[in-house]
């Protein structure tokens, strides 16, 4: 009863769909394969976009010994066995699924062998490794983010699979519907195609059959994926515009297609870009809501999301933070900088330590001489920022 998704898994890198930023002529993974050299790496991205397929294709084309482990399921003794095998063969690739869940004991076991080159690690994860993976692992690997597959990518892949299915009849409209319903998950698209193939009379697949199998509403994708980003844009702009009803509407549309990752990213950006210092407590509240959602899963995740999005929409707004840092970055890019003042350089004996002075403040120059009067922060007229500025001014006067 092997699933179609496993039967047709790519054996060559050229068979992997999408990921043109790392696969193709002159691209990093293709060149590594061409030079018959592999380094430890982490592949991260959403489910069903090719992480395991890329790992399998690399292993197959390099014809190297490998073992597959799961950071959650496999215990320490399983890791010991793999290391002994690696010593016996002289080298081994270890494909590690859910690497973000690797505990310290297993890390300590693997790290010296990754460093020595005995083990080449290919870690697979849906979690952002910069947030979820131990720095000790990160420092020893190359990290590659896999991009979300477009509808066209998935349709292209499905057309290749259709050629392998006996007596199937399916039109382009049905293939595009399957790809749209998959929301960027190629494995999900393959599974839907397989169910349709075996449930269709004489293997004739049409849009009606597909909708009967998967009734998930489609709000996002048009052919160029503009619809997906339009909903996300409307979500952020509704919150920025303090329209709580519209904010909840677009949140509901995102929830119906279970696009939690996009919701998390947008809320985090909104908390700091659009609300910022007008209500600085929103940043931690958003992170707490995200953690609650990860623990609860859907459908319960809608509850903390509904609460925090409501508060984001009703909260006062300020973009002084993003305006300030962007102005500073523009100065750097345009060359408007200067040398660090000598009295605040490392180990300077001229430095005045603010904590030694009343109110933890002492007058001294921090900006380079060339731009010593430059002002990046321009406060908005809201209670929190007004009070911050007032306190700072009083401290300086005293």
């Amino acid at each position: 009863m092997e699933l179609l998704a496993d039967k047709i898994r790519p054996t060559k890198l050229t068979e992997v769909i999408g990921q043109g930023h790392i696969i193709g002529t002159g691209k990093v993974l293709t060149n590594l394969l061409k030079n018959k050299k592999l380094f430890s790496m982490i592949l991260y991205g959403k489910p069903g976009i090719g992480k395991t397929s890329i790992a399998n294709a690399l292993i197959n084309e390099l014809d190297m010994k490998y073992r597959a482990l799961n950071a959650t399921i496999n215990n320490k003794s399983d890791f010991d066995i793999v290391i002994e095998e690696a010593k016996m063969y002289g080298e081994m690739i270890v494909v590690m699924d859910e690497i973000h869940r690797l505990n310290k004991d297993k890390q300590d076991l693997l790290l010296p062998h990754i460093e020595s080159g005995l083990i080449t690690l290919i870690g697979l994860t849906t979690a952002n490794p910069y947030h979820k993976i131990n720095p000790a692992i990160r420092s020893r690997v190359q990290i590659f983010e896999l991009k979300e597959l477009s509808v066209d990518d998935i349709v292209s892949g499905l057309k290749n699979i259709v050629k392998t299915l006996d007596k199937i009849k399916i039109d382009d409209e049905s293939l595009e519907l399957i790809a749209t319903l998959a929301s960027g998950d190629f494995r999900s698209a393959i599974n839907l195609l397989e169910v349709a193939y075996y449930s269709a009379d004489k293997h004739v697949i049409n849009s009606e059959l597909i909708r009967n199998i998967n009734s998930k509403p489609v709000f996002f994708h048009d052919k160029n994926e503009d619809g997906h980003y339009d909903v996300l844009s409307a979500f952020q702009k509704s919150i920025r515009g303090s329209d709580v009803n519209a904010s909840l509407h677009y949140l509901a549309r995102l929830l119906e297609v279970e696009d939690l990752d996009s919701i998390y990213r947008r809320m985090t950006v909104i908390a700091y870009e659009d609300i910022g210092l007008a209500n600085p407590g929103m940043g931690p509240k958003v992170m707490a809501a995200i953690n609650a959602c990860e623990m609860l899963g859907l459908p319960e995740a809608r509850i903390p999301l509904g609460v925090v999005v409501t508060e984001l929409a009703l909260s006062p707004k300020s973009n002084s933070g993003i305006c300030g840092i962007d102005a500073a970055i523009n100065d750097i890019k345009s060359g408007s900088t200067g040398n660090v003042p000598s009295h605040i350089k490392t180990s300077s004996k001229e430095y005045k330590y603010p904590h030694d002075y009343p109110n933890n403040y002492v007058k001294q120059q921090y900006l380079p001489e060339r731009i010593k009067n430059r002002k990046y922060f321009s406060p908005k007229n809201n209670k929190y920022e007004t009070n911050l500025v007032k306190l700072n001014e009083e401290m300086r006067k005293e």
Side-chain angles (χ1 to χ4, degrees):
M1 298 292 288
E2 187 181 15
L3 293 174
L4 180 61
D6 294 322
K7 287 180 183 178
I8 53 84
R9 192 177 291 282
T11 57
K12 297 180 180 179
L13 213 53
T14 54
E15 295 172 356
V16 175
I17 66 168
Q19 312 313 328
H21 62 298
I22 53 173
I23 296 173
T25 305
K27 299 304 169 70
V28 59
L29 292 187
T30 301
N31 284 347
L32 287 176
L33 198 58
K34 181 180 176 182
N35 294 317
K36 299 188 181 303
K37 181 67 177 178
L38 201 60
F39 296 93
S40 290
M41 66 180 72
I42 290 175
L43 305 174
Y44 85 98
K46 289 186 176 182
I49 61 174
K51 298 184 294 293
T52 305
S53 294
I54 290 173
N56 287 346
L58 289 170
I59 290 164
N60 183 65
E61 292 202 74
L62 289 170
D63 194 25
M64 293 179 68
K65 298 288 184 183
Y66 82 98
R67 287 290 179 267
L69 293 172
N70 185 297
T72 304
I73 297 170
N74 293 108
N75 57 36
K76 194 167 176 287
S77 63
D78 296 325
F79 282 64
D80 286 327
I81 291 169
V82 168
I83 290 168
E84 290 307 311
E85 282 190 76
K87 290 176 180 177
M88 184 173 66
Y89 291 115
E91 63 177 354
M92 181 172 285
I93 296 175
V94 173
V95 179
M96 181 75 64
D97 201 8
E98 295 193 78
I99 192 170
H100 61 284
R101 298 187 183 277
L102 197 63
N103 65 33
K104 189 176 185 304
D105 286 348
K106 295 171 185 175
Q107 285 178 33
D108 292 343
L109 195 63
L110 283 177
L111 283 173
H113 303 299
I114 295 171
E115 200 152 19
S116 71
L118 179 68
I119 284 176
T120 300
L121 178 70
I122 302 180
L124 312 176
T125 178
T126 56
N128 188 329
Y130 297 102
H131 299 159
K132 300 283 188 177
I133 293 178
N134 188 295
I137 291 283
R138 289 204 313 266
S139 69
R140 290 164 173 82
V141 302
Q142 299 300 312
I143 297 174
F144 298 108
E145 180 182 5
L146 272 60
K147 305 298 183 182
E148 189 169 342
L149 299 175
S150 68
V151 170
D152 287 343
D153 287 333
I154 295 177
V155 168
S156 175
L158 291 175
K159 285 182 176 179
N160 291 332
I161 295 170
V162 164
K163 296 172 186 175
T164 69
L165 297 174
D166 187 39
K167 298 178 181 179
I168 187 173
K169 291 184 179 179
I170 184 169
D171 57 26
D172 287 347
E173 181 185 350
S174 299
L175 286 172
E176 191 162 320
L177 177 59
I178 291 173
T180 303
L181 287 165
S183 297
D185 185 334
F186 190 39
R187 186 191 301 111
S188 173
I190 296 170
N191 291 341
L192 180 52
L193 175 65
E194 185 175 20
V195 173
Y197 176 74
Y198 285 108
S199 61
D201 184 31
K202 297 180 180 179
H203 304 311
V204 178
I205 301 173
N206 55 38
S207 299
E208 183 181 358
L209 172 67
I210 294 164
R211 290 187 185 280
N212 285 335
I213 297 168
N214 188 331
S215 59
K216 183 169 73 172
V218 180
F219 295 117
F220 287 158
H221 298 281
D222 53 24
K223 191 168 181 65
N224 297 314
E225 284 195 314
D226 294 336
H228 172 72
Y229 296 106
D230 284 346
V231 174
L232 287 170
S233 175
F235 177 58
Q236 181 165 0
K237 287 171 182 172
S238 297
I239 295 175
R240 181 185 293 150
S242 301
D243 188 327
V244 65
N245 297 307
S247 302
L248 291 171
H249 169 78
Y250 292 115
L251 172 65
R253 288 174 69 155
L254 292 163
L255 284 171
E256 278 299 297
V257 288
E258 302 181 5
D259 192 8
L260 289 176
D261 285 345
S262 293
I263 295 170
Y264 296 162
R265 284 195 296 271
R266 288 292 169 140
M267 289 195 313
T268 304
V269 168
I270 290 163
Y272 293 97
E273 178 184 350
D274 296 310
I275 292 168
L277 287 169
N279 185 2
M282 284 311 305
K285 285 184 179 181
V286 165
M287 294 312 298
I290 291 171
N291 289 333
C293 292
E294 288 291 283
M295 182 175 67
L296 292 170
L298 288 168
E300 286 83 1
R302 77 190 189 283
I303 303 167
L305 287 175
V307 171
V308 78
V309 165
T310 298
E311 190 171 359
L312 284 167
L314 295 175
S315 177
K317 309 295 189 296
S318 171
N319 68 345
S320 60
I322 186 175
C323 290
I325 187 60
D326 284 352
I329 289 171
N330 286 336
D331 271 2
I332 304 302
K333 288 181 176 178
S334 66
S336 299
T337 55
N339 295 325
V340 174
S342 60
H343 59 275
I344 58 170
K345 288 183 178 179
T346 306
S347 303
S348 170
K349 293 180 180 179
E350 300 171 10
Y351 173 59
K352 296 175 183 177
Y353 188 54
H355 295 289
D356 291 339
Y357 295 83
N359 294 324
N360 301 311
Y361 173 76
V362 58
K363 187 174 181 179
Q364 63 185 333
Q365 183 178 320
Y366 293 96
L367 277 171
E369 179 67 23
R370 183 179 170 190
I371 56 169
K372 65 180 182 181
N373 296 318
R374 186 75 165 93
K375 295 187 184 300
Y376 296 114
F377 176 61
S378 179
K380 299 287 182 177
N381 186 22
N382 60 73
K383 185 177 180 180
Y384 189 85
E385 282 179 86
T386 300
N387 286 338
L388 273 182
V389 172
K390 184 178 178 182
L391 284 170
N392 188 266
E393 288 174 348
E394 288 175 356
M395 176 181 73
R396 289 168 179 265
K397 285 178 183 178
E398 292 176 14

